[in-house]
Amino acid sequence: MTATATPVRRVDALVVGAGLSGLYMLHRFRGLGLDTVVLEAGSDIGGTWFWNRYPGARCDVESMEYSYSFSPELEQEWDWTEKYPTQPEILRYIHHVADRFGLHDGVRLGTRVASAHFRDADGRWTVTTEAGDRYDTEQLVMATGCLSTSKGPDVPGVERFAGRTFHTAHWPHEPVDFTGRRVAVIGTGSSGIQAIPLIAEQAADLTVFQRTANFSMPARNAPLSDEAQAQRKQGYREHRKAARESGFGIPVPEATRSALEVDPEERRAQYESVWGRNLVGMLTSYTDSITDRAANDTAAEFVREKIREIVDDPETAETLCPRDHPFGTKRPCLDTGYYATFNRETVHLVDLKKTPLTEITERGVRTSEAEYAVDDIVFATGFDAMTGSLAAVDIRGRAGLPLTDKWADGPVSHLGLQVAGFPNLYTITGPGSPSVLSNMMVSIEQHVDFVADTVAHAHARGDTVVESTEEAEQGWTDHVREVGDYTLYPQANSWYMGSNVPGKPRVFMAYIGGVGAYRAHCDQLAADGYPGFAFSAP
Ligand code: N01
């Protein structure tokens, strides 16, 4: 008997991922009249905000900035309840958007993409899911997110542990109760720093395993008053414009002076004034905060002083003080009561720099010095960032070249959006774009708009294939590296550099030229007829 081959579904555009990027891409492609399907591995839409449900999960960009700006009606009708939105509230918002713009029927849930192969013969892609379904598509958009392939603790024994284990990026949908339990949290990035205070409130005993002390600032979250909301809604257009033209996608006053030009009291007053205001105020206070180590040290020392003020035990405070990387070169965090949590008698800190993690045992966590017996382990150990979710799919371009081979020494791209030799493949907020160094919503909308406009431009010319040239890719990749090298970012062992994943090439993967400058560059390319892109119709 011969097996019947799965029928191939032919579409104009296939989008991978139904998070904030994928849903907006679907909306824009449909607006161009393209038959579009979104394939989503999760059992619901939402992307990051579907998966990351750990206690305390919330966005640390303000809700009224971390939201779509493409529809003034949507902007006006949706009400946020807090300055910083919780994960459930963002997920409700995403569902509202999908309902409002009729997007649900374009998404196939529970469908993980296994491979995507470009066909040189006719310039189209064959995309295969893990279940064996096949699609034939002209456009292929990877809207898979920068932080969606989680990583574990890179030590043996996780499967041996007899108690419960959790990863912040795959949190159960039902509430997890830590009451009366001895809990270990491994990892002190944004996820750990948000979860630890809430877990500490419940647990009988909490041990935090810290490899790198992180800089964190108080979120000072609060309910959003009707007046504040109405006021922002009135001036939304100008505010959005300012966000788009800014460096990080969050409007802040432009720095005019070096941190080293001003006397210490004035500098301290400046840092006090932005402390707890938002994620970027400390980094944007002076022109050289992120380019000069001495200038940066003034901000770093200010944060360390705050930690010493909050934490009662001087030794614990010193362990919590970051010293091995400049302020901001690992993603800084916003927290609610993180440092004060270490004043609880039931909370203990283990410095993995002094006593490295060696294994997970049946009873708990072992370091080079001791075994810590616990009931539950929470891994807040982060992600294979930026390239992990692209490498997880077998993507092959012209002549069958795997993307992972092309990126063996680190990602190269044109604008972080296209890779030469991979026609019609777009990576939303891909490596080489401002993405993770910006308010993601601002970057997502700009990327999706640019992709939709580029495709529309090609079709208007009668072309179906758009491909960045090798020269444009090289030029952009060099530019990303040069701008990165001008800053302090490469000095940190961060996930921006790929250094959190053993064996990953150490390359600064984000573009720090600013979202405003990036947008202006993209707009200019479009106005000039897309130099650096080759259009064709096989
Ligand atoms: O992950 P992380 P995350 N042994 O990589 C440690 C965004 N986000 O999930 O720094 C011991 O930052 C690791 O140590 P080290 C945001 O962009 C946003 O917290 O590599 N420890 C680190 O402490 C953020 O930056 C929001 O030395 C190990 C931690 O685990 C990004 O997502 C909320 C280890 C991982 O921290 C990632 O955040 C949450 C090992 N083998 C996340 N491996 C908001 O918007 C890793 N670690 C609020």
Side-chain angles (χ1 to χ4, degrees):
M1 207 167 86
T2 44
T4 327
T6 320
V8 179
R9 176 160 170 202
R10 192 178 161 95
V11 293
D12 298 325
L14 197 130
V15 178
V16 186
L20 289 158
S21 308
L23 291 173
Y24 182 43
M25 194 76 253
L26 172 64
H27 178 65
R28 282 298 320 265
F29 273 160
R30 279 184 164 175
L32 298 178
L34 302 184
D35 178 18
T36 305
V37 170
V38 180
L39 301 182
E40 166 57 53
S43 61
D44 203 351
I45 61 171
T48 284
W49 302 106
F50 169 78
W51 296 104
N52 292 267
R53 298 164 178 259
Y54 58 84
R58 67 170 79 234
C59 185
D60 51 18
V61 173
E62 289 186 26
S63 51
M64 296 200 74
E65 289 171 355
Y66 190 86
S67 48
Y68 289 117
S69 71
F70 70 84
S71 160
E73 297 77 25
L74 169 67
E75 220 167 48
Q76 292 298 324
E77 77 198 11
W78 180 264
D79 289 325
W80 294 99
T81 64
E82 291 179 80
K83 179 178 178 190
Y84 294 109
T86 60
Q87 174 269 332
E89 187 165 25
I90 301 173
L91 202 53
R92 279 198 299 281
Y93 170 75
I94 294 172
H95 271 271
H96 170 76
V97 173
D99 293 341
R100 191 187 195 288
F101 295 97
L103 302 177
H104 287 286
D105 65 351
V107 182
R108 256 194 79 185
L109 298 170
T111 307
R112 191 175 283 280
V113 172
S115 66
H117 295 172
F118 182 73
R119 304 196 303 262
D120 293 276
D122 64 356
R124 294 177 63 91
W125 288 85
T126 302
V127 175
T128 309
T129 71
E130 282 189 351
D133 294 334
R134 288 189 300 154
Y135 291 83
D136 171 346
T137 183
E138 179 186 293
Q139 305 296 328
L140 174 61
V141 177
M142 297 300 285
T144 38
C146 297
L147 296 154
S148 36
T149 296
S150 63
K151 67 173 284 293
D154 311 318
V155 290
V158 175
E159 67 297 334
R160 266 204 307 264
F161 180 60
R164 302 186 299 180
T165 58
F166 305 94
H167 194 293
T168 47
H170 304 281
W171 204 260
H173 286 212
E174 58 284 357
V176 177
D177 190 4
F178 291 105
T179 308
R181 298 178 73 87
R182 297 166 303 167
V183 183
V185 175
I186 301 176
T188 52
S190 298
S191 304
I193 281 177
Q194 286 188 326
I196 284 164
L198 292 171
I199 295 174
E201 279 176 17
Q202 283 190 345
D205 191 84
L206 171 65
T207 307
V208 175
F209 293 85
Q210 171 192 280
R211 185 165 70 183
T212 306
N214 223 328
F215 291 98
S216 187
M217 299 167 284
R220 299 204 176 132
N221 185 41
L224 261 181
S225 70
D226 291 346
E227 300 73 52
Q229 192 141 195
Q231 201 181 6
R232 170 63 60 80
K233 283 185 178 180
Q234 230 177 27
Y236 235 148
R237 295 295 86 209
E238 299 82 68
H239 194 85
R240 299 294 201 182
K241 182 169 181 289
R244 291 186 195 118
E245 290 172 358
S246 68
F248 290 105
I250 298 172
V252 284
E254 195 161 333
T256 53
R257 287 188 298 170
S258 157
L260 306 174
E261 249 175 65
V262 294
D263 64 56
E265 291 84 71
E266 188 183 343
R267 208 165 47 216
R268 165 164 275 283
Q270 166 63 22
Y271 289 147
E272 282 292 356
S273 76
V274 293
W275 183 244
R277 190 182 289 177
N278 58 31
L279 194 58
V280 296
M282 287 285 295
L283 263 188
T284 51
S285 282
Y286 296 105
T287 51
D288 48 2
S289 302
I290 205 61
T291 53
D292 182 283
R293 188 67 196 244
N296 184 281
D297 277 344
T298 64
E301 189 50 30
F302 180 85
V303 184
R304 288 192 285 263
E305 280 171 25
K306 291 286 184 191
I307 297 171
R308 292 186 197 110
E309 274 170 28
I310 301 168
V311 179
D312 296 339
D313 174 47
E315 200 183 324
T316 305
E318 284 315 307
T319 307
L320 287 166
C321 281
R323 296 180 182 290
D324 66 353
H325 62 283
F327 174 72
T329 55
K330 280 168 92 91
R331 169 73 148 62
C333 307
L334 291 189
D335 71 86
T336 300
Y338 175 65
Y339 293 118
T341 296
F342 292 91
N343 294 334
R344 285 175 174 262
E345 281 189 0
T346 50
V347 177
H348 324 282
L349 181 64
V350 175
D351 183 355
L352 296 178
K353 279 269 155 67
K354 285 192 183 142
T355 59
L357 187 63
T358 55
E359 62 175 334
I360 306 298
T361 67
E362 194 174 291
R363 287 163 17 104
V365 177
R366 197 194 299 279
T367 67
S368 58
E369 194 179 64
E371 185 185 21
Y372 299 82
V374 292
D375 303 310
D376 300 320
I377 304 177
V378 174
F379 297 109
T381 39
F383 301 88
D384 180 353
M386 308 206 67
T387 53
S389 300
L390 297 168
V393 177
D394 172 20
I395 300 175
R396 298 183 189 212
R398 285 197 187 280
L401 179 70
L403 183 63
T404 46
D405 283 10
K406 170 124 188 179
W407 284 2
D409 298 327
V412 292
S413 76
H414 182 206
L415 304 171
L417 273 173
Q418 268 217 330
V419 184
F422 294 76
N424 287 358
L425 170 71
Y426 296 94
T427 53
I428 305 298
T429 63
S433 74
S435 61
V436 289
L437 293 174
S438 71
N439 172 356
M440 289 300 277
M441 288 300 299
V442 174
S443 286
I444 284 170
E445 282 194 326
Q446 189 271 344
H447 281 195
V448 168
D449 287 338
F450 185 81
V451 172
D453 294 347
T454 306
V455 172
H457 178 80
H459 288 172
R461 295 167 45 121
D463 289 327
T464 51
V465 173
V466 180
E467 180 178 5
S468 285
T469 64
E470 297 275 356
E471 298 71 43
E473 176 180 87
Q474 192 58 52
W476 183 256
T477 304
D478 290 347
H479 175 60
V480 170
R481 197 192 51 244
E482 275 160 24
V483 179
D485 284 347
Y486 181 67
T487 71
L488 302 171
Y489 281 95
Q491 293 186 16
N493 284 324
S494 63
W495 58 254
Y496 297 137
M497 297 294 301
S499 4
N500 66 328
V501 175
K504 193 165 170 173
R506 200 173 185 285
V507 174
F508 184 52
M509 292 185 287
Y511 178 57
I512 183 63
V515 296
Y518 177 86
R519 175 183 296 267
H521 178 68
C522 290
D523 289 351
Q524 194 59 51
L525 289 178
D528 293 347
Y530 295 89
F533 293 86
F535 293 83
S536 61

